[in-house]
PDB file of all heavy atoms in Angstrom:
ATOM      1  N   SER J  74     -15.368  10.832   0.965  1.00  0.00           N
ATOM      2  CA  SER J  74     -14.431  10.810   2.090  1.00  0.00           C
ATOM      3  C   SER J  74     -14.802   9.722   3.095  1.00  0.00           C
ATOM      4  O   SER J  74     -13.934   8.990   3.591  1.00  0.00           O
ATOM      5  CB  SER J  74     -14.407  12.176   2.780  1.00  0.00           C
ATOM      6  OG  SER J  74     -14.002  13.199   1.897  1.00  0.00           O
ATOM      7  N   ILE J  75     -16.085   9.623   3.402  1.00  0.00           N
ATOM      8  CA  ILE J  75     -16.531   8.609   4.365  1.00  0.00           C
ATOM      9  C   ILE J  75     -16.379   7.208   3.774  1.00  0.00           C
ATOM     10  O   ILE J  75     -16.007   6.254   4.480  1.00  0.00           O
ATOM     11  CB  ILE J  75     -17.982   8.871   4.794  1.00  0.00           C
ATOM     12  CG1 ILE J  75     -18.092  10.248   5.486  1.00  0.00           C
ATOM     13  CG2 ILE J  75     -18.481   7.772   5.723  1.00  0.00           C
ATOM     14  CD1 ILE J  75     -17.212  10.399   6.721  1.00  0.00           C
ATOM     15  N   ILE J  76     -16.648   7.051   2.486  1.00  0.00           N
ATOM     16  CA  ILE J  76     -16.445   5.752   1.842  1.00  0.00           C
ATOM     17  C   ILE J  76     -14.973   5.367   1.877  1.00  0.00           C
ATOM     18  O   ILE J  76     -14.621   4.199   2.103  1.00  0.00           O
ATOM     19  CB  ILE J  76     -16.998   5.774   0.403  1.00  0.00           C
ATOM     20  CG1 ILE J  76     -18.531   5.829   0.431  1.00  0.00           C
ATOM     21  CG2 ILE J  76     -16.528   4.548  -0.384  1.00  0.00           C
ATOM     22  CD1 ILE J  76     -19.171   6.083  -0.915  1.00  0.00           C
ATOM     23  N   LYS J  77     -14.081   6.350   1.662  1.00  0.00           N
ATOM     24  CA  LYS J  77     -12.646   6.076   1.763  1.00  0.00           C
ATOM     25  C   LYS J  77     -12.294   5.613   3.180  1.00  0.00           C
ATOM     26  O   LYS J  77     -11.455   4.720   3.360  1.00  0.00           O
ATOM     27  CB  LYS J  77     -11.864   7.334   1.415  1.00  0.00           C
ATOM     28  CG  LYS J  77     -11.937   7.738  -0.039  1.00  0.00           C
ATOM     29  CD  LYS J  77     -10.809   7.160  -0.856  1.00  0.00           C
ATOM     30  CE  LYS J  77      -9.493   7.808  -0.510  1.00  0.00           C
ATOM     31  NZ  LYS J  77      -8.380   7.243  -1.316  1.00  0.00           N
ATOM     32  N   LYS J  78     -12.923   6.218   4.167  1.00  0.00           N
ATOM     33  CA  LYS J  78     -12.725   5.756   5.543  1.00  0.00           C
ATOM     34  C   LYS J  78     -13.163   4.301   5.671  1.00  0.00           C
ATOM     35  O   LYS J  78     -12.464   3.476   6.278  1.00  0.00           O
ATOM     36  CB  LYS J  78     -13.526   6.636   6.507  1.00  0.00           C
ATOM     37  CG  LYS J  78     -13.522   6.160   7.953  1.00  0.00           C
ATOM     38  CD  LYS J  78     -14.449   7.005   8.813  1.00  0.00           C
ATOM     39  CE  LYS J  78     -14.580   6.455  10.218  1.00  0.00           C
ATOM     40  NZ  LYS J  78     -15.504   7.264  11.061  1.00  0.00           N
ATOM     41  N   GLY J  79     -14.307   3.980   5.100  1.00  0.00           N
ATOM     42  CA  GLY J  79     -14.803   2.615   5.153  1.00  0.00           C
ATOM     43  C   GLY J  79     -13.859   1.632   4.477  1.00  0.00           C
ATOM     44  O   GLY J  79     -13.629   0.524   4.978  1.00  0.00           O
ATOM     45  N   ARG J  80     -13.304   2.028   3.359  1.00  0.00           N
ATOM     46  CA  ARG J  80     -12.372   1.142   2.661  1.00  0.00           C
ATOM     47  C   ARG J  80     -11.089   0.941   3.470  1.00  0.00           C
ATOM     48  O   ARG J  80     -10.488  -0.136   3.428  1.00  0.00           O
ATOM     49  CB  ARG J  80     -12.070   1.696   1.269  1.00  0.00           C
ATOM     50  CG  ARG J  80     -13.257   1.567   0.315  1.00  0.00           C
ATOM     51  CD  ARG J  80     -12.902   1.905  -1.107  1.00  0.00           C
ATOM     52  NE  ARG J  80     -13.858   1.279  -2.019  1.00  0.00           N
ATOM     53  CZ  ARG J  80     -13.627   1.046  -3.298  1.00  0.00           C
ATOM     54  NH1 ARG J  80     -12.458   1.384  -3.833  1.00  0.00           N
ATOM     55  NH2 ARG J  80     -14.542   0.480  -4.056  1.00  0.00           N
ATOM     56  N   THR J  81     -10.682   1.973   4.191  1.00  0.00           N
ATOM     57  CA  THR J  81      -9.522   1.826   5.074  1.00  0.00           C
ATOM     58  C   THR J  81      -9.839   0.850   6.205  1.00  0.00           C
ATOM     59  O   THR J  81      -9.029  -0.017   6.540  1.00  0.00           O
ATOM     60  CB  THR J  81      -9.112   3.187   5.649  1.00  0.00           C
ATOM     61  OG1 THR J  81      -8.808   4.091   4.577  1.00  0.00           O
ATOM     62  CG2 THR J  81      -7.888   3.060   6.551  1.00  0.00           C
ATOM     63  N   LEU J  82     -11.022   0.971   6.779  1.00  0.00           N
ATOM     64  CA  LEU J  82     -11.443   0.028   7.815  1.00  0.00           C
ATOM     65  C   LEU J  82     -11.489  -1.396   7.270  1.00  0.00           C
ATOM     66  O   LEU J  82     -11.118  -2.352   7.957  1.00  0.00           O
ATOM     67  CB  LEU J  82     -12.816   0.427   8.359  1.00  0.00           C
ATOM     68  CG  LEU J  82     -12.849   1.647   9.281  1.00  0.00           C
ATOM     69  CD1 LEU J  82     -14.289   2.125   9.462  1.00  0.00           C
ATOM     70  CD2 LEU J  82     -12.225   1.328  10.633  1.00  0.00           C
ATOM     71  N   MET J  83     -11.948  -1.538   6.043  1.00  0.00           N
ATOM     72  CA  MET J  83     -12.010  -2.845   5.414  1.00  0.00           C
ATOM     73  C   MET J  83     -10.611  -3.448   5.289  1.00  0.00           C
ATOM     74  O   MET J  83     -10.402  -4.630   5.582  1.00  0.00           O
ATOM     75  CB  MET J  83     -12.672  -2.728   4.043  1.00  0.00           C
ATOM     76  CG  MET J  83     -12.896  -4.037   3.322  1.00  0.00           C
ATOM     77  SD  MET J  83     -13.868  -3.806   1.805  1.00  0.00           S
ATOM     78  CE  MET J  83     -12.758  -2.756   0.854  1.00  0.00           C
ATOM     79  N   GLN J  84      -9.642  -2.636   4.873  1.00  0.00           N
ATOM     80  CA  GLN J  84      -8.262  -3.108   4.762  1.00  0.00           C
ATOM     81  C   GLN J  84      -7.703  -3.518   6.120  1.00  0.00           C
ATOM     82  O   GLN J  84      -6.867  -4.418   6.214  1.00  0.00           O
ATOM     83  CB  GLN J  84      -7.387  -2.023   4.139  1.00  0.00           C
ATOM     84  CG  GLN J  84      -7.701  -1.746   2.681  1.00  0.00           C
ATOM     85  CD  GLN J  84      -7.095  -0.448   2.189  1.00  0.00           C
ATOM     86  OE1 GLN J  84      -6.352   0.225   2.907  1.00  0.00           O
ATOM     87  NE2 GLN J  84      -7.396  -0.083   0.959  1.00  0.00           N
TER      88      GLN J  84
END
Side-chain angles (χ1 to χ4, degrees):
S74 300
I75 299 301
I76 290 170
K77 291 268 289 180
K78 174 186 174 181
R80 289 189 158 201
T81 302
L82 286 166
M83 184 173 63
Q84 292 165 5

